[in-house]
Amino acid sequence: MYRKNFITMNTTALLNQLLSDYQIHYQNLRGFHWNIKGPKFFELHAKFEELYNDAQLKIDEIAERILTLKGRPLHSFSDYTEHANLKEVKNVSEAQQCMQCIVENMSYLVTLQNQILEQAASVDDKGTEDMMTQYIAFHEKTLWMFNAWLG
């Protein structure tokens, strides 16, 4: 019993890490959406909105998964900035820079999601495994497209 609870705490700690990083990723996407300029404005303004809407849904799902596992989701911006490995990006309005930042952030998220997937598998946590598998598939496809866009 102790081992299972200890491992579940590790899973919730990893999910809180993901929650924190997702909050920073979300806010970066909002900033890109608001500040994008140039000939790709219409294309990227809409794409960034699509991405931040998806991130917002995932943030809620992650927090609810933490609660399902009897954990407590972080819920203040000071907690997010303290725990996140992703960094906030300010005053970026050029398409190439925005896209490069998103690729870097998503690549990191895939790495973290794979860690969570492995942790969940080690304790037979099918719900978290399923969630991470879906997130990884989404990010890998998006990374492929964004890297193609970047050339």
Side-chain angles (χ1 to χ4, degrees), residues 72-108:
R72 184 180 192 122
L74 298 174
H75 56 275
S76 71
F77 279 102
S78 59
D79 283 339
Y80 302 144
T81 56
E82 180 183 333
H83 290 91
N85 287 319
L86 294 181
K87 301 297 177 208
E88 59 185 17
V89 178
K90 296 179 184 179
N91 303 318
V92 174
S93 60
E94 194 271 318
Q96 201 79 10
Q97 279 184 288
C98 293
M99 294 295 274
Q100 189 60 47
C101 180
I102 293 169
V103 164
E104 290 169 10
N105 288 349
M106 282 190 177
S107 295
Y108 163 77

Side-chain angles (χ1 to χ4, degrees), residues 3 6 9 22 24 40 49 52 58 71 91 107 119 123 130:
R3 179 165 162 61
F6 177 73
M9 281 191 268
Y22 247 103
I24 301 302
K40 302 289 185 185
E49 183 174 9
Y52 76 66
K58 285 180 169 69
N91 303 318
S107 295
Q119 172 64 27
V123 294
D130 182 56

Side-chain angles (χ1 to χ4, degrees), residues 12-112:
T12 59
L14 285 168
L15 286 168
N16 263 317
Q17 177 68 54
L18 185 62
L19 179 62
S20 297
D21 285 314
Y22 247 103
Q23 288 284 10
I24 301 302
H25 177 60
Y26 167 82
Q27 197 58 47
N28 286 343
L29 291 167
R30 291 297 302 237
F32 299 152
H33 170 78
W34 291 328
N35 294 304
I36 189 71
K37 291 184 167 79
K40 302 289 185 185
F41 171 83
F42 290 106
E43 167 190 342
L44 294 179
H45 183 74
K47 179 52 79 175
F48 297 155
E49 183 174 9
E50 176 187 320
L51 290 173
Y52 76 66
N53 284 332
D54 177 76
Q56 186 177 33
L57 291 172
K58 285 180 169 69
I59 287 166
D60 192 53
E61 291 172 352
I62 295 163
E64 289 174 351
R65 187 69 194 156
I66 293 166
L67 289 164
T68 300
L69 296 173
K70 310 283 190 260
R72 184 180 192 122
L74 298 174
H75 56 275
S76 71
F77 279 102
S78 59
D79 283 339
Y80 302 144
T81 56
E82 180 183 333
H83 290 91
N85 287 319
L86 294 181
K87 301 297 177 208
E88 59 185 17
V89 178
K90 296 179 184 179
N91 303 318
V92 174
S93 60
E94 194 271 318
Q96 201 79 10
Q97 279 184 288
C98 293
M99 294 295 274
Q100 189 60 47
C101 180
I102 293 169
V103 164
E104 290 169 10
N105 288 349
M106 282 190 177
S107 295
Y108 163 77
L109 290 172
V110 168
T111 299
L112 179 55

